[in-house]
Amino acid sequence: MHHVLVVGAGTMGSVHARSFARMENVKLAGIVDIRANIVGPLAESLQTQAFASYEEAMAALERVDIVDICLPTDLHKTYVLKAAAAGKHVICEKPLAGNLADAQEMIDFCRERNVKLFVGHVLRFFPEYVQAKRLVDSGAIGEVAMVNTFRGGIFPTAWKDWYADVKISGGLILDMIIHDFDFLRWCFGEVERVYAKSMIGRTFARMEYALVSLRFANGVIAHIEGSWAHQGFSMKFELAGKKGVIDYDSRAASPVVSTLRKQEAGQGGVAVPESPLRESPYFLELQHFLAAIERETEPLVTPEDAYKAMEIALAALKSIETGKPVSLAHSAGKGGDC
Amino acid sequence: MKVGIISFAHMHAHSYAQAIQELEGVELAGIYDDDPERGQKAAARYQTTFYSSYQELLASEIDAVIVTSENASHREHVVACAAAGKHVLCEKPLATTAEDAEAMIQACREHQVILQTAFPVRYNTAILRAKAYMEEGKLGRIIAMKGTNRGKNPGGWFVDPQKSGGGAVIDHTVHVVDIMRWFLGAEVAEVYAEVGYQLASEIPIDDCGLITMEFNNGVFATLDCSWSRNQSYPTWGDVTLEIVGTDGTLKIDAFAQKLDVYSNDSGHIYAYWGDDMDQQLVHDFLDSVRKNEQPKITGEDGLRALEVALAAYQSARELEPVRIEKSQA
Ligand SMILES: NC(=O)c1ccc[n+]([C@@H]2O[C@H](COP(=O)([O-])OP(=O)(O)OC[C@H]3O[C@@H](n4cnc5c(N)ncnc54)[C@H](O)[C@@H]3O)[C@@H](O)[C@H]2O)c1
């Protein structure tokens, strides 16, 4: 039985807590959030304890094996280090940190403390992405040369509007399309060159839009489009190879779409697409992390992968700032496992 | 009105010939082709005269010429048309070098004939609707554009740089760059490109391209100009644009008006039922000829788009963004 403490009861924290609550090999020991009105009802519905701070939870709970950090990105480091210092395995939402030095310190410290560090690059558990990679690996479309991806929707709303502060969240590129960077790196290996443009510094409107150009060491060219300027979340990818094309659009792959006649919380007349799955990708991801602890195996997403995805995102931000392409050296020593 | 066609090297010659046949009061009066077999076949198909030299065609009683020869031959043919006093509609890309394009523009100006670049996408009804929508101002200030003009590798002379000037980048950059310039009323100031030579197995040619642009009004844009549709892809390719403004977004798929056909003979194919843009292009060109007025799309428009494609090749070579120095024309 894994005793898990979830820290943060916002969007991600509640998804994680609900997943853990359904797992037979997990005891959801507690949920932490500074907002009592959020964490109280969530803990109650999942029949676990609510805490106002991490320290309070750790003092009160008899046993915690895993700490799952679902806090705003700028708080990841503080709590990852605390949990590792206490000898707990750590699950941390992506991006691992806001800068590479912090990420490296977190990775090194977890290794030093001999605890596992898992980072929530959940796209590797989305069946459509898994399927696409499997098809590419099996040669179904031949050698891939050209890739286009999209991820986006409306500007995210969260506690204290922390996504709007680039210093805290890293903005669209570090927070959101880092998912695609990780997925593409998983499929095509290391990135050699990054060039990007975005709205940063161009307008004060509450929106963001970024167009990133990646060149992989194996020659693949990838175009990553990210948006916090569109209505309704969607994601897309198109992989073009010598023998064929794989095309995915989450809007076209929604088997259940409801549209209500009656206005309901401003939703009237709006089509709500759903892609129901027996197990959510988040559930599968967390289960996989637990299995990696039980079996002492390498997880599908290593801390090094999380570091490398950040490296691509930060290179894109640097390119936006300088107007120049940024080359990534394939430094083998960076990242590493813990 | 009598119109001639110089060369059926480019497959668009056929849709232009059909457009001419469908127009009232217009006659396809003659065809020249340096490949006599191809030329004679076309002449028979469109019931017109085949000329074995373009000088002969240009000496005949024609008012205008459509030039659909290999890209690298455009200059020779367009300059000859101008010297003979014939108005010209020239297939895109206007030329393979800025110098050639300038010479063509200069020659047509000197002899006071119309030079129109064949950018049919400007006549696509969905594109026209999108332009009108943008002019209503509902999108607010335009921030960014993302375009695609993907296609299949056409093979033949298109993959011989001596004749084509290059592959996908020169072939597929110019259409959407022209639309972006037209929509924004602005010029491309800087170009960065990743160019790939990876899809074709037999003859290596640039068949993948991702171009990032900065316009002189602060708008940024990208364009995927790759020949990345495989042979069994349900259609020839696409023209799409995503436009992001401060007050909204606009999504354009210029050829979305289609049927999905599933056939045991041909697999899954798209059957397009939207308006014919080539027909409108030819119609509008001949209208300008008739009224003897400036064409809606000029030789300069062709040159500006070509400059972006050439800058893309330079950027890919140098791994640096390239500033566009406007050529004089
Ligand atoms: N993998 C994914 O698909 C995905 C999706 C969304 C968010 N995320 C990531 O998850 C993390 C959390 O994002 P979110 O959208 O859930 O944010 P959120 O704002 O919804 O939740 C954060 C919560 O942390 C609480 N909090 C703040 N400081 C605290 C502290 N010191 N102690 C305890 N609680 C505290 C806030 O009250 C809030 O409820 C971010 O790193 C984000 O990038 C990942």
Side-chain angles (χ1 to χ4, degrees):
Chain A
M1 198 62 112
H2 303 277
H3 292 240
V4 179
L5 176 67
V6 173
V7 185
T11 306
M12 255 318 101
S14 36
V15 168
H16 283 203
R18 282 195 194 101
S19 300
F20 282 129
R22 287 179 43 233
M23 291 182 198
E24 278 167 6
N25 57 344
V26 168
K27 174 168 171 47
L28 182 58
I31 310 173
V32 179
D33 203 294
I34 50 174
R35 293 188 293 170
N37 61 327
I38 297 272
V39 70
L42 180 67
E44 198 182 292
S45 73
L46 300 177
Q47 294 167 340
T48 185
Q49 282 176 268
F51 297 97
S53 76
Y54 166 81
E55 289 75 11
E56 191 186 296
M58 292 301 274
L61 291 171
E62 213 161 275
R63 182 176 162 195
V64 172
D65 306 313
I66 300 165
V67 177
D68 178 11
I69 314 287
C70 298
L71 296 173
T73 303
D74 65 323
L75 296 173
H76 288 179
K77 180 179 161 187
T78 307
Y79 287 91
V80 167
L81 296 187
K82 278 186 201 226
K88 311 300 175 194
H89 296 303
V90 189
I91 297 171
C92 181
E93 257 311 326
K94 49 43 62 183
L96 181 55
N99 63 70
L100 292 173
D102 282 355
Q104 191 64 57
E105 191 184 333
M106 293 155 80
I107 293 169
D108 291 345
F109 191 69
C110 287
R111 189 189 291 125
E112 208 174 281
R113 289 298 165 129
N114 210 15
V115 298
K116 303 250 182 213
L117 173 60
F118 304 103
V119 187
H121 284 289
V122 71
L123 230 47
R124 297 194 188 203
F125 300 89
F126 271 70
E128 56 272 58
Y129 286 82
V130 172
Q131 175 89 304
K133 174 166 163 48
R134 205 174 285 150
L135 283 166
V136 167
D137 290 347
S138 74
I141 56 167
E143 206 181 297
V144 174
M146 194 73 208
V147 174
N148 279 277
T149 71
F150 171 80
R151 180 170 309 281
I154 57 165
F155 204 94
T157 45
W159 171 72
K160 277 192 172 173
D161 204 16
W162 68 271
Y163 281 105
D165 188 337
V166 181
K167 284 201 284 300
I168 295 178
S169 68
L172 174 68
I173 289 177
L174 187 65
D175 187 78
M176 179 89 151
I177 55 178
I178 194 167
H179 282 298
D180 300 291
F181 298 150
D182 176 63
F183 171 69
L184 295 175
R185 209 188 133 259
W186 188 39
C187 292
F188 305 115
E190 300 303 338
V191 168
E192 200 159 277
R193 213 160 38 243
V194 184
Y195 188 75
K197 300 252 177 210
S198 86
M199 280 180 58
I200 296 172
R202 290 177 200 256
T203 176
F204 292 108
R206 187 188 163 76
M207 54 194 291
E208 216 189 314
Y209 185 70
L211 299 172
V212 180
S213 162
L214 298 183
R215 190 64 182 255
F216 286 79
N218 72 353
V220 167
I221 299 171
H223 184 14
I224 292 86
E225 178 187 18
S227 176
W228 282 343
H230 283 73
Q231 301 301 308
F233 178 81
S234 68
M235 51 190 188
K236 294 181 217 170
F237 58 77
E238 201 218 66
L239 315 172
K242 277 190 173 179
K243 285 197 326 196
V245 170
I246 298 174
D247 194 7
Y248 167 74
D249 179 347
S250 63
R251 281 177 202 258
S254 298
V256 180
V257 180
S258 58
T259 314
L260 293 178
R261 268 163 62 122
K262 261 232 284 285
Q263 203 86 16
E264 195 180 278
Q267 285 285 301
V270 178
V272 180
E274 291 177 49
S275 176
L277 291 165
R278 233 181 336 260
E279 301 296 0
S280 86
Y282 300 94
F283 184 96
L284 296 175
E285 170 195 74
L286 296 171
Q287 252 190 349
H288 172 82
F289 291 160
L290 299 182
I293 293 174
E294 286 165 15
R295 297 179 201 148
E296 298 257 349
T297 48
E298 181 97 327
L300 200 54
V301 191
T302 65
E304 176 177 38
D305 291 329
Y307 182 97
K308 290 281 188 184
M310 278 180 60
E311 205 172 46
I312 300 167
L314 293 167
L317 287 166
K318 189 172 166 201
S319 172
I320 289 164
E321 195 186 314
T322 60
K324 298 274 181 193
V326 175
S327 290
L328 293 180
H330 302 306
S331 41
K334 292 278 174 62
D337 290 41
C338 68
Chain B
M1 192 172 341
K2 292 185 174 182
V3 182
I5 294 182
I6 291 187
S7 177
F8 274 68
H10 200 294
M11 50 277 189
H12 286 168
H14 287 287
S15 52
Y16 301 148
Q18 278 154 27
I20 291 168
Q21 286 195 320
E22 282 163 27
L23 287 170
E24 286 278 326
V26 182
E27 184 195 332
L28 179 55
I31 288 171
Y32 159 75
D33 202 312
D34 65 353
D35 176 346
E37 202 188 311
R38 186 173 60 199
Q40 270 153 7
K41 242 166 123 183
R45 180 166 167 191
Y46 301 107
Q47 291 161 357
T48 186
T49 315
F50 172 72
Y51 293 88
S52 53
S53 91
Y54 64 79
Q55 289 85 352
E56 252 178 87
L57 169 68
L58 293 176
S60 72
E61 290 260 311
I62 52 173
D63 307 280
V65 178
I66 298 177
V67 173
T68 24
S69 51
E70 295 87 347
N71 301 342
S73 304
H74 287 179
R75 177 179 178 166
E76 179 189 343
H77 292 146
V78 169
V79 168
C81 290
K86 312 297 181 193
H87 301 291
V88 195
L89 174 65
C90 181
E91 183 56 40
K92 51 59 49 178
L94 189 58
T96 58
T97 66
E99 188 197 333
D100 282 357
E102 285 161 35
M104 291 155 68
I105 293 167
Q106 190 55 40
C108 290
R109 186 179 297 148
E110 222 166 83
H111 294 94
Q112 295 180 346
V113 298
I114 290 172
L115 171 57
Q116 173 163 354
T117 310
F119 283 140
V121 183
R122 281 210 205 185
Y123 301 90
N124 175 281
T125 310
I127 293 286
L128 287 165
R129 169 67 191 121
K131 180 151 197 302
Y133 188 90
M134 287 179 69
E135 279 163 3
E136 288 171 32
K138 284 188 191 146
L139 296 179
R141 188 161 63 81
I142 303 304
I143 305 278
M145 290 188 172
K146 174 187 168 273
T148 65
N149 181 197
R150 295 172 292 198
K152 297 184 180 182
N153 184 330
W157 64 264
F158 284 88
V159 297
D160 175 1
Q162 290 300 328
K163 293 188 169 145
S164 60
V169 173
I170 199 162
D171 188 38
H172 270 189
T173 296
V174 291
H175 283 299
V176 174
V177 165
D178 177 65
I179 297 302
M180 288 176 170
R181 288 179 60 247
W182 190 45
F183 277 10
L184 293 172
E187 297 296 342
V188 176
E190 195 175 78
V191 176
Y192 177 83
E194 291 291 349
V195 175
Y197 297 73
Q198 256 153 306
L199 284 168
S201 332
E202 311 84 40
I203 307 159
I205 183 101
D206 56 289
D207 44 29
C208 289
L210 174 59
I211 298 176
T212 306
M213 291 162 277
E214 184 82 36
F215 282 81
N216 62 4
N217 64 348
V219 170
F220 64 96
T222 57
L223 171 61
D224 178 349
C225 59
S226 309
W227 287 339
S228 53
R229 311 300 80 181
N230 58 305
Q231 283 316 313
S232 68
Y233 199 79
T235 191
W236 59 270
D238 67 6
V239 170
T240 72
L241 273 165
E242 181 76 38
I243 300 173
V244 178
T246 48
D247 294 338
T249 60
L250 186 66
K251 186 183 193 60
I252 309 163
D253 181 349
F255 302 100
Q257 290 159 307
K258 45 97 176 167
L259 303 177
D260 286 85
V261 181
Y262 305 89
S263 140
N264 285 346
D265 298 332
S266 46
H268 179 200
I269 53 166
Y270 295 170
Y272 175 72
W273 48 261
D275 294 330
D276 180 351
M277 59 183 193
D278 288 340
Q279 163 101 45
Q280 286 305 306
L281 167 78
V282 173
H283 175 83
D284 185 59
F285 164 66
L286 295 176
D287 205 44
S288 302
V289 170
R290 201 173 288 119
K291 295 179 185 151
N292 198 22
E293 63 183 21
Q294 269 286 309
K296 299 227 175 54
I297 310 168
T298 62
E300 280 84 354
D301 287 323
L303 171 59
R304 294 282 99 87
L306 172 64
E307 282 167 344
V308 174
L310 297 174
Y313 283 119
Q314 188 188 337
S315 169
R317 272 196 309 274
E318 297 173 356
L319 303 180
E320 283 288 337
V322 170
R323 306 242 14 127
I324 299 232
E325 310 295 345
K326 260 199 210 170
S327 315
Q328 294 306 311

